[in-house]
Amino acid sequence: MKTVTLSTLQAFKRAGETFSCLTAYDASFARTAAEAGIEVLLVGDSLGMVLQGHASTLPVTLNDIVYHTRCVARAKGTSLLMVDLPFMSNATTERMLHDAGELMRAGAELVKVEGEAWMADGIRELTRRGVPVCAHLGLTPQTVYQLGGYKVQGRDAERAAQILEDARTLVEAGASVILLECVPANLGKAITEALDVPVIGIGAGPDTDGQILVMHDVLGVTHGRTPRFVKNFMTEADDIPSAFRRYHEDVKARRFPAEEHSF
Ligand code: KIV
């Protein structure tokens, strides 16, 4: 398999081909996911919930993310390694530059940051220094207490227009990828069509360029309420490598997400 780079994702978009993304937090699962063909691995701050047992992603520190990035980077194979900037890394441009620098040193190839159009300056400065950025819009888990819970975003026309405008602004500032979480499928489609850069979705419908899930959800290790956009691929697989392969194949064939996983 050829090494996946940003250019690969752009080529997928131009060709109308989808790509699969999955979270990974350690070397063993990263290797298994990469060997299954998953194109993008994300060291997500979801590790605060699925590994550390917190109720949100907010307690995750830069050191936590650096540690897991080093583990995944050793086993990422040909997959592209995206890594989350943790809560408050976006507080100032200086902090964003510092924290992104630490992540890139640990092995990140693309940093993901949650926020809105106000991050444009930070993203511009990162891009200027050669750090590729994915801007995470829609439901941003780091602002869960302000949002009043893990709720679908952009259901009304005004908020939908705002998310689209934010995406445009951040791409203009230099974002190479947009990630949309929990938005109606029609908004996921509209934003994907409006932008030249690859758009990754989670709970954003079937029409985004890429799809991402949390590894534990793919393996059926979901505690509490199962979100609508989640699918347990272990029910159709004999083992973990087959579940990852099935997820990858279903994304590539646009069998996942189906209507039942969309808003
Ligand atoms: O932290 C994470 O796992 C994420 C995904 C849910 C996209 O940001």
Side-chain angles (χ1 to χ4, degrees):
M1 261 184 299
K2 275 183 76 177
T3 300
V4 178
T5 64
L6 272 181
S7 312
T8 317
L9 304 188
Q10 283 150 4
F12 282 148
K13 179 164 185 124
R14 279 194 303 274
E17 186 178 338
T18 49
F19 56 90
S20 64
C21 318
L22 190 66
T23 65
Y25 316 98
D26 71 21
S28 299
F29 283 105
R31 194 179 307 279
T32 308
E35 285 175 2
I38 307 284
E39 277 112 353
V40 180
L41 299 178
L42 167 68
V43 179
D45 61 357
S46 51
L47 71 86
M49 299 171 83
V50 296
L51 299 190
Q52 298 174 335
H54 294 296
S56 77
T57 59
L58 275 66
V60 176
T61 65
L62 181 63
N63 283 342
D64 292 334
I65 304 257
V66 164
Y67 172 80
H68 289 281
T69 300
R70 288 198 180 117
C71 297
V72 171
R74 293 184 192 112
K76 69 166 207 73
T78 55
S79 307
L80 179 72
L81 182 51
M82 172 158 75
V83 180
D84 262 343
L85 279 165
F87 177 59
M88 279 298 155
S89 280
N90 59 13
T92 63
T93 296
E94 286 66 32
R95 185 149 173 196
M96 231 169 163
L97 291 174
H98 171 272
D99 291 2
E102 294 299 304
L103 298 186
M104 297 298 282
R105 263 186 215 105
E109 295 168 325
L110 172 66
V111 299
K112 177 161 82 60
V113 62
E114 294 183 18
E116 296 173 339
W118 49 265
M119 294 193 303
D121 285 343
I123 289 179
R124 194 171 295 111
E125 295 306 321
L126 282 171
T127 308
R128 220 176 243 166
R129 289 163 178 80
V131 177
V133 180
C134 169
H136 182 152
L137 303 172
L139 170 56
T140 45
Q142 290 172 9
T143 61
V144 62
Y145 294 114
Q146 191 177 51
L147 296 174
Y150 296 98
K151 296 177 182 166
V152 179
Q153 302 295 306
R155 280 200 195 273
D156 62 283
E158 197 180 327
R159 175 90 176 105
Q162 185 62 58
I163 296 172
L164 171 57
E165 199 182 312
D166 288 348
R168 280 208 171 103
T169 303
L170 296 180
V171 169
E172 244 168 63
S176 303
V177 179
I178 294 290
L179 186 143
L180 293 176
E181 179 164 353
C182 285
V183 299
N186 61 356
L187 180 58
K189 184 171 195 279
I191 294 177
T192 304
E193 286 173 357
L195 302 179
D196 288 336
V197 303
V199 175
I200 300 171
I202 175 165
D207 299 305
T208 55
D209 302 302
Q211 297 289 338
I212 188 162
L213 282 179
V214 168
M215 181 191 87
H216 292 65
D217 292 333
V218 166
L219 299 180
V221 193
T222 307
H223 294 285
R225 193 181 61 85
T226 302
R228 184 182 169 96
F229 56 80
V230 159
K231 180 171 172 187
N232 173 2
F233 285 83
M234 279 304 279
T235 59
E236 300 161 8
D238 293 332
D239 53 24
I240 291 171
S242 316
F244 285 171
R245 266 198 308 277
R246 185 69 192 250
Y247 165 62
H248 172 68
E249 284 160 10
D250 281 6
V251 168
K252 296 298 276 187
R254 293 194 188 268
R255 284 189 296 266
F256 177 82
E259 207 180 320
E260 72 209 71
H261 306 113
S262 306
F263 300 104

